[in-house]
Amino acid sequence: MAAPLQSTGDCKSELGKYDWPQDQAYKVMFQESSNNLRIINNNPATGDYSVGCFQINLIGAVRATRPSEESLLIAENNVRYAYQMYVNQGRTFCKTSGWFNTCKKVGIN
């Protein structure tokens, strides 16, 4: 039997390393996970296998293009990848490939 995956670090403390709107990054992260790095949302019915504080989705073929689950359970890596997504989406959280529904819930346009 494989050992359980370990999570390390604090996502909130990692947010300040990046040049994104800190209040928005915090709202998205908190809505996704309540700053709980250990959250894994395994719901194939909704197309979701999301990991960590920013709930990076690793379901299906997308898994091959993203950091490993083990890596995303390290706060520094999870927040770094979330920032890369934010930048790649045009410096917004609110694209359908990102955190579109979360943006609506927390009032980010």
Side-chain angles (χ1 to χ4, degrees), residues 9-42:
D10 174 62
C11 294
K12 184 179 177 185
S13 66
E14 294 290 325
L15 297 178
K17 293 181 177 180
Y18 300 98
D19 65 334
W20 52 6
Q22 296 295 308
D23 62 325
Q24 290 182 12
Y26 179 79
K27 285 179 181 179
V28 168
M29 183 270 303
F30 197 82
Q31 178 68 34
E32 290 291 326
S33 70
S34 298
N35 192 32
N36 183 346
L37 184 59
R38 294 178 298 278
I39 296 287
I40 295 176
N41 179 13
N42 183 7

PDB file of all heavy atoms in Angstrom, residues 9-42:
ATOM      1  N   GLY A   9       3.472  23.467   3.757  1.00  0.00           N
ATOM      2  CA  GLY A   9       3.436  24.900   3.533  1.00  0.00           C
ATOM      3  C   GLY A   9       2.069  25.508   3.771  1.00  0.00           C
ATOM      4  O   GLY A   9       1.103  24.826   4.104  1.00  0.00           O
ATOM      5  N   ASP A  10       2.006  26.819   3.573  1.00  0.00           N
ATOM      6  CA  ASP A  10       0.780  27.588   3.771  1.00  0.00           C
ATOM      7  C   ASP A  10       0.559  28.451   2.538  1.00  0.00           C
ATOM      8  O   ASP A  10       1.394  29.311   2.215  1.00  0.00           O
ATOM      9  CB  ASP A  10       0.902  28.462   5.018  1.00  0.00           C
ATOM     10  CG  ASP A  10      -0.291  29.377   5.172  1.00  0.00           C
ATOM     11  OD1 ASP A  10      -1.412  28.866   5.327  1.00  0.00           O
ATOM     12  OD2 ASP A  10      -0.097  30.610   5.122  1.00  0.00           O
ATOM     13  N   CYS A  11      -0.529  28.223   1.853  1.00  0.00           N
ATOM     14  CA  CYS A  11      -0.802  28.938   0.613  1.00  0.00           C
ATOM     15  C   CYS A  11      -0.933  30.445   0.818  1.00  0.00           C
ATOM     16  O   CYS A  11      -0.417  31.226   0.027  1.00  0.00           O
ATOM     17  CB  CYS A  11      -2.052  28.378  -0.043  1.00  0.00           C
ATOM     18  SG  CYS A  11      -1.834  26.684  -0.608  1.00  0.00           S
ATOM     19  N   LYS A  12      -1.613  30.842   1.862  1.00  0.00           N
ATOM     20  CA  LYS A  12      -1.810  32.276   2.091  1.00  0.00           C
ATOM     21  C   LYS A  12      -0.481  33.015   2.150  1.00  0.00           C
ATOM     22  O   LYS A  12      -0.335  34.095   1.585  1.00  0.00           O
ATOM     23  CB  LYS A  12      -2.603  32.503   3.377  1.00  0.00           C
ATOM     24  CG  LYS A  12      -2.918  33.954   3.636  1.00  0.00           C
ATOM     25  CD  LYS A  12      -3.728  34.126   4.893  1.00  0.00           C
ATOM     26  CE  LYS A  12      -3.978  35.598   5.170  1.00  0.00           C
ATOM     27  NZ  LYS A  12      -4.656  35.794   6.449  1.00  0.00           N
ATOM     28  N   SER A  13       0.506  32.421   2.789  1.00  0.00           N
ATOM     29  CA  SER A  13       1.803  33.088   2.901  1.00  0.00           C
ATOM     30  C   SER A  13       2.547  33.135   1.569  1.00  0.00           C
ATOM     31  O   SER A  13       3.461  33.937   1.401  1.00  0.00           O
ATOM     32  CB  SER A  13       2.661  32.413   3.968  1.00  0.00           C
ATOM     33  OG  SER A  13       3.003  31.101   3.580  1.00  0.00           O
ATOM     34  N   GLU A  14       2.151  32.308   0.614  1.00  0.00           N
ATOM     35  CA  GLU A  14       2.792  32.295  -0.710  1.00  0.00           C
ATOM     36  C   GLU A  14       2.209  33.340  -1.662  1.00  0.00           C
ATOM     37  O   GLU A  14       2.853  33.706  -2.643  1.00  0.00           O
ATOM     38  CB  GLU A  14       2.653  30.907  -1.350  1.00  0.00           C
ATOM     39  CG  GLU A  14       3.396  29.810  -0.640  1.00  0.00           C
ATOM     40  CD  GLU A  14       4.898  29.925  -0.762  1.00  0.00           C
ATOM     41  OE1 GLU A  14       5.389  30.370  -1.822  1.00  0.00           O
ATOM     42  OE2 GLU A  14       5.591  29.588   0.219  1.00  0.00           O
ATOM     43  N   LEU A  15       1.010  33.818  -1.407  1.00  0.00           N
ATOM     44  CA  LEU A  15       0.327  34.720  -2.340  1.00  0.00           C
ATOM     45  C   LEU A  15       1.121  35.983  -2.625  1.00  0.00           C
ATOM     46  O   LEU A  15       1.138  36.466  -3.758  1.00  0.00           O
ATOM     47  CB  LEU A  15      -1.058  35.099  -1.803  1.00  0.00           C
ATOM     48  CG  LEU A  15      -2.073  33.972  -1.634  1.00  0.00           C
ATOM     49  CD1 LEU A  15      -3.365  34.527  -1.052  1.00  0.00           C
ATOM     50  CD2 LEU A  15      -2.318  33.242  -2.927  1.00  0.00           C
ATOM     51  N   GLY A  16       1.774  36.539  -1.616  1.00  0.00           N
ATOM     52  CA  GLY A  16       2.480  37.809  -1.754  1.00  0.00           C
ATOM     53  C   GLY A  16       3.707  37.767  -2.643  1.00  0.00           C
ATOM     54  O   GLY A  16       4.280  38.807  -2.962  1.00  0.00           O
ATOM     55  N   LYS A  17       4.121  36.598  -3.069  1.00  0.00           N
ATOM     56  CA  LYS A  17       5.294  36.472  -3.939  1.00  0.00           C
ATOM     57  C   LYS A  17       5.004  36.896  -5.376  1.00  0.00           C
ATOM     58  O   LYS A  17       5.921  37.017  -6.174  1.00  0.00           O
ATOM     59  CB  LYS A  17       5.796  35.026  -3.952  1.00  0.00           C
ATOM     60  CG  LYS A  17       6.356  34.555  -2.632  1.00  0.00           C
ATOM     61  CD  LYS A  17       6.844  33.129  -2.747  1.00  0.00           C
ATOM     62  CE  LYS A  17       7.475  32.648  -1.453  1.00  0.00           C
ATOM     63  NZ  LYS A  17       7.947  31.247  -1.575  1.00  0.00           N
ATOM     64  N   TYR A  18       3.738  37.118  -5.700  1.00  0.00           N
ATOM     65  CA  TYR A  18       3.357  37.315  -7.095  1.00  0.00           C
ATOM     66  C   TYR A  18       2.638  38.640  -7.298  1.00  0.00           C
ATOM     67  O   TYR A  18       1.962  39.142  -6.405  1.00  0.00           O
ATOM     68  CB  TYR A  18       2.472  36.142  -7.558  1.00  0.00           C
ATOM     69  CG  TYR A  18       3.223  34.838  -7.426  1.00  0.00           C
ATOM     70  CD1 TYR A  18       3.037  34.019  -6.322  1.00  0.00           C
ATOM     71  CD2 TYR A  18       4.174  34.474  -8.370  1.00  0.00           C
ATOM     72  CE1 TYR A  18       3.764  32.838  -6.176  1.00  0.00           C
ATOM     73  CE2 TYR A  18       4.907  33.311  -8.228  1.00  0.00           C
ATOM     74  CZ  TYR A  18       4.701  32.495  -7.129  1.00  0.00           C
ATOM     75  OH  TYR A  18       5.423  31.348  -6.987  1.00  0.00           O
ATOM     76  N   ASP A  19       2.778  39.184  -8.522  1.00  0.00           N
ATOM     77  CA  ASP A  19       2.175  40.479  -8.847  1.00  0.00           C
ATOM     78  C   ASP A  19       0.795  40.296  -9.460  1.00  0.00           C
ATOM     79  O   ASP A  19       0.551  40.505 -10.625  1.00  0.00           O
ATOM     80  CB  ASP A  19       3.099  41.291  -9.770  1.00  0.00           C
ATOM     81  CG  ASP A  19       3.284  40.657 -11.138  1.00  0.00           C
ATOM     82  OD1 ASP A  19       3.152  39.420 -11.263  1.00  0.00           O
ATOM     83  OD2 ASP A  19       3.551  41.406 -12.093  1.00  0.00           O
ATOM     84  N   TRP A  20      -0.109  39.876  -8.617  1.00  0.00           N
ATOM     85  CA  TRP A  20      -1.513  39.755  -8.966  1.00  0.00           C
ATOM     86  C   TRP A  20      -2.296  40.483  -7.897  1.00  0.00           C
ATOM     87  O   TRP A  20      -1.750  40.796  -6.835  1.00  0.00           O
ATOM     88  CB  TRP A  20      -1.937  38.318  -9.116  1.00  0.00           C
ATOM     89  CG  TRP A  20      -1.619  37.366  -7.970  1.00  0.00           C
ATOM     90  CD1 TRP A  20      -1.093  37.665  -6.739  1.00  0.00           C
ATOM     91  CD2 TRP A  20      -1.785  35.952  -7.975  1.00  0.00           C
ATOM     92  NE1 TRP A  20      -0.928  36.527  -5.982  1.00  0.00           N
ATOM     93  CE2 TRP A  20      -1.342  35.454  -6.716  1.00  0.00           C
ATOM     94  CE3 TRP A  20      -2.266  35.050  -8.899  1.00  0.00           C
ATOM     95  CZ2 TRP A  20      -1.377  34.108  -6.380  1.00  0.00           C
ATOM     96  CZ3 TRP A  20      -2.282  33.715  -8.559  1.00  0.00           C
ATOM     97  CH2 TRP A  20      -1.845  33.253  -7.309  1.00  0.00           C
ATOM     98  N   PRO A  21      -3.551  40.799  -8.112  1.00  0.00           N
ATOM     99  CA  PRO A  21      -4.329  41.475  -7.065  1.00  0.00           C
ATOM    100  C   PRO A  21      -4.443  40.546  -5.852  1.00  0.00           C
ATOM    101  O   PRO A  21      -5.091  39.500  -5.916  1.00  0.00           O
ATOM    102  CB  PRO A  21      -5.695  41.720  -7.706  1.00  0.00           C
ATOM    103  CG  PRO A  21      -5.521  41.481  -9.167  1.00  0.00           C
ATOM    104  CD  PRO A  21      -4.337  40.601  -9.335  1.00  0.00           C
ATOM    105  N   GLN A  22      -3.771  40.919  -4.784  1.00  0.00           N
ATOM    106  CA  GLN A  22      -3.694  40.060  -3.605  1.00  0.00           C
ATOM    107  C   GLN A  22      -5.071  39.721  -3.040  1.00  0.00           C
ATOM    108  O   GLN A  22      -5.320  38.577  -2.658  1.00  0.00           O
ATOM    109  CB  GLN A  22      -2.835  40.719  -2.522  1.00  0.00           C
ATOM    110  CG  GLN A  22      -1.389  40.906  -2.927  1.00  0.00           C
ATOM    111  CD  GLN A  22      -0.655  39.601  -3.127  1.00  0.00           C
ATOM    112  OE1 GLN A  22      -0.664  38.734  -2.261  1.00  0.00           O
ATOM    113  NE2 GLN A  22      -0.016  39.440  -4.275  1.00  0.00           N
ATOM    114  N   ASP A  23      -5.966  40.710  -3.016  1.00  0.00           N
ATOM    115  CA  ASP A  23      -7.300  40.450  -2.469  1.00  0.00           C
ATOM    116  C   ASP A  23      -8.070  39.441  -3.326  1.00  0.00           C
ATOM    117  O   ASP A  23      -8.747  38.562  -2.802  1.00  0.00           O
ATOM    118  CB  ASP A  23      -8.098  41.750  -2.303  1.00  0.00           C
ATOM    119  CG  ASP A  23      -8.342  42.477  -3.617  1.00  0.00           C
ATOM    120  OD1 ASP A  23      -7.463  42.445  -4.510  1.00  0.00           O
ATOM    121  OD2 ASP A  23      -9.416  43.096  -3.756  1.00  0.00           O
ATOM    122  N   GLN A  24      -7.927  39.538  -4.640  1.00  0.00           N
ATOM    123  CA  GLN A  24      -8.599  38.588  -5.522  1.00  0.00           C
ATOM    124  C   GLN A  24      -7.991  37.196  -5.397  1.00  0.00           C
ATOM    125  O   GLN A  24      -8.721  36.198  -5.338  1.00  0.00           O
ATOM    126  CB  GLN A  24      -8.536  39.050  -6.973  1.00  0.00           C
ATOM    127  CG  GLN A  24      -9.387  40.252  -7.253  1.00  0.00           C
ATOM    128  CD  GLN A  24      -9.346  40.660  -8.710  1.00  0.00           C
ATOM    129  OE1 GLN A  24      -8.850  39.930  -9.571  1.00  0.00           O
ATOM    130  NE2 GLN A  24      -9.887  41.836  -8.999  1.00  0.00           N
ATOM    131  N   ALA A  25      -6.672  37.119  -5.367  1.00  0.00           N
ATOM    132  CA  ALA A  25      -6.010  35.824  -5.225  1.00  0.00           C
ATOM    133  C   ALA A  25      -6.453  35.156  -3.924  1.00  0.00           C
ATOM    134  O   ALA A  25      -6.749  33.955  -3.904  1.00  0.00           O
ATOM    135  CB  ALA A  25      -4.494  35.997  -5.253  1.00  0.00           C
ATOM    136  N   TYR A  26      -6.522  35.923  -2.855  1.00  0.00           N
ATOM    137  CA  TYR A  26      -6.952  35.366  -1.575  1.00  0.00           C
ATOM    138  C   TYR A  26      -8.402  34.886  -1.648  1.00  0.00           C
ATOM    139  O   TYR A  26      -8.727  33.797  -1.186  1.00  0.00           O
ATOM    140  CB  TYR A  26      -6.784  36.380  -0.443  1.00  0.00           C
ATOM    141  CG  TYR A  26      -7.250  35.817   0.869  1.00  0.00           C
ATOM    142  CD1 TYR A  26      -6.436  34.941   1.590  1.00  0.00           C
ATOM    143  CD2 TYR A  26      -8.508  36.123   1.376  1.00  0.00           C
ATOM    144  CE1 TYR A  26      -6.880  34.388   2.784  1.00  0.00           C
ATOM    145  CE2 TYR A  26      -8.950  35.577   2.570  1.00  0.00           C
ATOM    146  CZ  TYR A  26      -8.124  34.717   3.275  1.00  0.00           C
ATOM    147  OH  TYR A  26      -8.566  34.162   4.450  1.00  0.00           O
ATOM    148  N   LYS A  27      -9.290  35.699  -2.237  1.00  0.00           N
ATOM    149  CA  LYS A  27     -10.703  35.309  -2.336  1.00  0.00           C
ATOM    150  C   LYS A  27     -10.867  34.008  -3.123  1.00  0.00           C
ATOM    151  O   LYS A  27     -11.637  33.132  -2.727  1.00  0.00           O
ATOM    152  CB  LYS A  27     -11.524  36.417  -3.007  1.00  0.00           C
ATOM    153  CG  LYS A  27     -11.798  37.608  -2.128  1.00  0.00           C
ATOM    154  CD  LYS A  27     -12.589  38.646  -2.896  1.00  0.00           C
ATOM    155  CE  LYS A  27     -12.859  39.867  -2.059  1.00  0.00           C
ATOM    156  NZ  LYS A  27     -13.615  40.893  -2.813  1.00  0.00           N
ATOM    157  N   VAL A  28     -10.161  33.896  -4.233  1.00  0.00           N
ATOM    158  CA  VAL A  28     -10.250  32.683  -5.051  1.00  0.00           C
ATOM    159  C   VAL A  28      -9.726  31.492  -4.262  1.00  0.00           C
ATOM    160  O   VAL A  28     -10.382  30.456  -4.160  1.00  0.00           O
ATOM    161  CB  VAL A  28      -9.495  32.851  -6.385  1.00  0.00           C
ATOM    162  CG1 VAL A  28      -9.341  31.517  -7.107  1.00  0.00           C
ATOM    163  CG2 VAL A  28     -10.196  33.870  -7.277  1.00  0.00           C
ATOM    164  N   MET A  29      -8.547  31.633  -3.688  1.00  0.00           N
ATOM    165  CA  MET A  29      -7.939  30.540  -2.932  1.00  0.00           C
ATOM    166  C   MET A  29      -8.821  30.127  -1.765  1.00  0.00           C
ATOM    167  O   MET A  29      -9.060  28.937  -1.547  1.00  0.00           O
ATOM    168  CB  MET A  29      -6.550  30.960  -2.440  1.00  0.00           C
ATOM    169  CG  MET A  29      -5.779  29.897  -1.700  1.00  0.00           C
ATOM    170  SD  MET A  29      -6.047  29.872   0.102  1.00  0.00           S
ATOM    171  CE  MET A  29      -5.582  31.513   0.579  1.00  0.00           C
ATOM    172  N   PHE A  30      -9.355  31.106  -1.045  1.00  0.00           N
ATOM    173  CA  PHE A  30     -10.164  30.783   0.124  1.00  0.00           C
ATOM    174  C   PHE A  30     -11.489  30.124  -0.274  1.00  0.00           C
ATOM    175  O   PHE A  30     -11.929  29.174   0.360  1.00  0.00           O
ATOM    176  CB  PHE A  30     -10.404  32.021   0.989  1.00  0.00           C
ATOM    177  CG  PHE A  30     -10.854  31.665   2.374  1.00  0.00           C
ATOM    178  CD1 PHE A  30      -9.926  31.301   3.332  1.00  0.00           C
ATOM    179  CD2 PHE A  30     -12.196  31.653   2.706  1.00  0.00           C
ATOM    180  CE1 PHE A  30     -10.332  30.940   4.612  1.00  0.00           C
ATOM    181  CE2 PHE A  30     -12.610  31.294   3.985  1.00  0.00           C
ATOM    182  CZ  PHE A  30     -11.674  30.934   4.938  1.00  0.00           C
ATOM    183  N   GLN A  31     -12.104  30.599  -1.356  1.00  0.00           N
ATOM    184  CA  GLN A  31     -13.350  29.986  -1.836  1.00  0.00           C
ATOM    185  C   GLN A  31     -13.094  28.551  -2.301  1.00  0.00           C
ATOM    186  O   GLN A  31     -13.908  27.664  -2.071  1.00  0.00           O
ATOM    187  CB  GLN A  31     -13.943  30.804  -2.981  1.00  0.00           C
ATOM    188  CG  GLN A  31     -15.214  30.231  -3.577  1.00  0.00           C
ATOM    189  CD  GLN A  31     -16.396  30.271  -2.630  1.00  0.00           C
ATOM    190  OE1 GLN A  31     -16.536  31.177  -1.825  1.00  0.00           O
ATOM    191  NE2 GLN A  31     -17.269  29.291  -2.724  1.00  0.00           N
ATOM    192  N   GLU A  32     -11.976  28.329  -2.947  1.00  0.00           N
ATOM    193  CA  GLU A  32     -11.661  26.996  -3.461  1.00  0.00           C
ATOM    194  C   GLU A  32     -11.364  25.996  -2.346  1.00  0.00           C
ATOM    195  O   GLU A  32     -11.755  24.839  -2.442  1.00  0.00           O
ATOM    196  CB  GLU A  32     -10.470  27.064  -4.427  1.00  0.00           C
ATOM    197  CG  GLU A  32     -10.767  27.752  -5.740  1.00  0.00           C
ATOM    198  CD  GLU A  32     -11.703  26.960  -6.636  1.00  0.00           C
ATOM    199  OE1 GLU A  32     -11.645  25.719  -6.615  1.00  0.00           O
ATOM    200  OE2 GLU A  32     -12.480  27.584  -7.374  1.00  0.00           O
ATOM    201  N   SER A  33     -10.650  26.437  -1.295  1.00  0.00           N
ATOM    202  CA  SER A  33     -10.145  25.454  -0.328  1.00  0.00           C
ATOM    203  C   SER A  33     -10.147  25.891   1.130  1.00  0.00           C
ATOM    204  O   SER A  33      -9.697  25.128   1.985  1.00  0.00           O
ATOM    205  CB  SER A  33      -8.703  25.105  -0.689  1.00  0.00           C
ATOM    206  OG  SER A  33      -7.861  26.222  -0.419  1.00  0.00           O
ATOM    207  N   SER A  34     -10.547  27.110   1.417  1.00  0.00           N
ATOM    208  CA  SER A  34     -10.429  27.669   2.772  1.00  0.00           C
ATOM    209  C   SER A  34      -8.980  27.639   3.246  1.00  0.00           C
ATOM    210  O   SER A  34      -8.710  27.471   4.429  1.00  0.00           O
ATOM    211  CB  SER A  34     -11.335  26.927   3.761  1.00  0.00           C
ATOM    212  OG  SER A  34     -12.678  27.061   3.386  1.00  0.00           O
ATOM    213  N   ASN A  35      -8.040  27.797   2.311  1.00  0.00           N
ATOM    214  CA  ASN A  35      -6.592  27.764   2.595  1.00  0.00           C
ATOM    215  C   ASN A  35      -6.170  26.405   3.145  1.00  0.00           C
ATOM    216  O   ASN A  35      -5.246  26.307   3.920  1.00  0.00           O
ATOM    217  CB  ASN A  35      -6.173  28.895   3.533  1.00  0.00           C
ATOM    218  CG  ASN A  35      -4.661  29.065   3.605  1.00  0.00           C
ATOM    219  OD1 ASN A  35      -3.949  28.832   2.640  1.00  0.00           O
ATOM    220  ND2 ASN A  35      -4.168  29.459   4.767  1.00  0.00           N
ATOM    221  N   ASN A  36      -6.855  25.351   2.718  1.00  0.00           N
ATOM    222  CA  ASN A  36      -6.512  23.997   3.148  1.00  0.00           C
ATOM    223  C   ASN A  36      -5.821  23.288   1.995  1.00  0.00           C
ATOM    224  O   ASN A  36      -6.465  22.820   1.055  1.00  0.00           O
ATOM    225  CB  ASN A  36      -7.755  23.235   3.576  1.00  0.00           C
ATOM    226  CG  ASN A  36      -7.439  21.851   4.102  1.00  0.00           C
ATOM    227  OD1 ASN A  36      -6.343  21.332   3.923  1.00  0.00           O
ATOM    228  ND2 ASN A  36      -8.411  21.249   4.746  1.00  0.00           N
ATOM    229  N   LEU A  37      -4.528  23.195   2.074  1.00  0.00           N
ATOM    230  CA  LEU A  37      -3.714  22.596   1.024  1.00  0.00           C
ATOM    231  C   LEU A  37      -4.049  21.127   0.796  1.00  0.00           C
ATOM    232  O   LEU A  37      -3.860  20.598  -0.293  1.00  0.00           O
ATOM    233  CB  LEU A  37      -2.237  22.760   1.391  1.00  0.00           C
ATOM    234  CG  LEU A  37      -1.195  22.290   0.393  1.00  0.00           C
ATOM    235  CD1 LEU A  37      -1.352  23.008  -0.936  1.00  0.00           C
ATOM    236  CD2 LEU A  37       0.195  22.530   0.958  1.00  0.00           C
ATOM    237  N   ARG A  38      -4.576  20.460   1.796  1.00  0.00           N
ATOM    238  CA  ARG A  38      -4.843  19.019   1.705  1.00  0.00           C
ATOM    239  C   ARG A  38      -6.153  18.666   0.993  1.00  0.00           C
ATOM    240  O   ARG A  38      -6.449  17.495   0.794  1.00  0.00           O
ATOM    241  CB  ARG A  38      -4.837  18.409   3.104  1.00  0.00           C
ATOM    242  CG  ARG A  38      -3.475  18.453   3.760  1.00  0.00           C
ATOM    243  CD  ARG A  38      -3.492  17.891   5.163  1.00  0.00           C
ATOM    244  NE  ARG A  38      -4.338  18.617   6.086  1.00  0.00           N
ATOM    245  CZ  ARG A  38      -3.995  19.725   6.738  1.00  0.00           C
ATOM    246  NH1 ARG A  38      -2.798  20.243   6.568  1.00  0.00           N
ATOM    247  NH2 ARG A  38      -4.826  20.311   7.562  1.00  0.00           N
ATOM    248  N   ILE A  39      -6.919  19.657   0.589  1.00  0.00           N
ATOM    249  CA  ILE A  39      -8.203  19.398  -0.077  1.00  0.00           C
ATOM    250  C   ILE A  39      -7.975  18.741  -1.443  1.00  0.00           C
ATOM    251  O   ILE A  39      -7.214  19.237  -2.267  1.00  0.00           O
ATOM    252  CB  ILE A  39      -8.991  20.714  -0.277  1.00  0.00           C
ATOM    253  CG1 ILE A  39      -9.370  21.333   1.058  1.00  0.00           C
ATOM    254  CG2 ILE A  39     -10.210  20.509  -1.162  1.00  0.00           C
ATOM    255  CD1 ILE A  39     -10.466  20.632   1.790  1.00  0.00           C
ATOM    256  N   ILE A  40      -8.652  17.630  -1.648  1.00  0.00           N
ATOM    257  CA  ILE A  40      -8.698  16.981  -2.961  1.00  0.00           C
ATOM    258  C   ILE A  40     -10.165  16.746  -3.282  1.00  0.00           C
ATOM    259  O   ILE A  40     -10.881  16.117  -2.514  1.00  0.00           O
ATOM    260  CB  ILE A  40      -7.907  15.664  -2.973  1.00  0.00           C
ATOM    261  CG1 ILE A  40      -6.423  15.955  -2.740  1.00  0.00           C
ATOM    262  CG2 ILE A  40      -8.121  14.911  -4.289  1.00  0.00           C
ATOM    263  CD1 ILE A  40      -5.548  14.732  -2.638  1.00  0.00           C
ATOM    264  N   ASN A  41     -10.602  17.295  -4.404  1.00  0.00           N
ATOM    265  CA  ASN A  41     -11.983  17.142  -4.852  1.00  0.00           C
ATOM    266  C   ASN A  41     -11.994  16.103  -5.959  1.00  0.00           C
ATOM    267  O   ASN A  41     -11.608  16.381  -7.088  1.00  0.00           O
ATOM    268  CB  ASN A  41     -12.540  18.475  -5.343  1.00  0.00           C
ATOM    269  CG  ASN A  41     -13.962  18.345  -5.828  1.00  0.00           C
ATOM    270  OD1 ASN A  41     -14.635  17.355  -5.604  1.00  0.00           O
ATOM    271  ND2 ASN A  41     -14.427  19.379  -6.519  1.00  0.00           N
ATOM    272  N   ASN A  42     -12.431  14.902  -5.631  1.00  0.00           N
ATOM    273  CA  ASN A  42     -12.495  13.807  -6.593  1.00  0.00           C
ATOM    274  C   ASN A  42     -13.949  13.569  -6.952  1.00  0.00           C
ATOM    275  O   ASN A  42     -14.676  12.883  -6.246  1.00  0.00           O
ATOM    276  CB  ASN A  42     -11.868  12.545  -5.995  1.00  0.00           C
ATOM    277  CG  ASN A  42     -11.833  11.402  -6.978  1.00  0.00           C
ATOM    278  OD1 ASN A  42     -12.150  11.563  -8.147  1.00  0.00           O
ATOM    279  ND2 ASN A  42     -11.448  10.236  -6.506  1.00  0.00           N
TER     280      ASN A  42
END
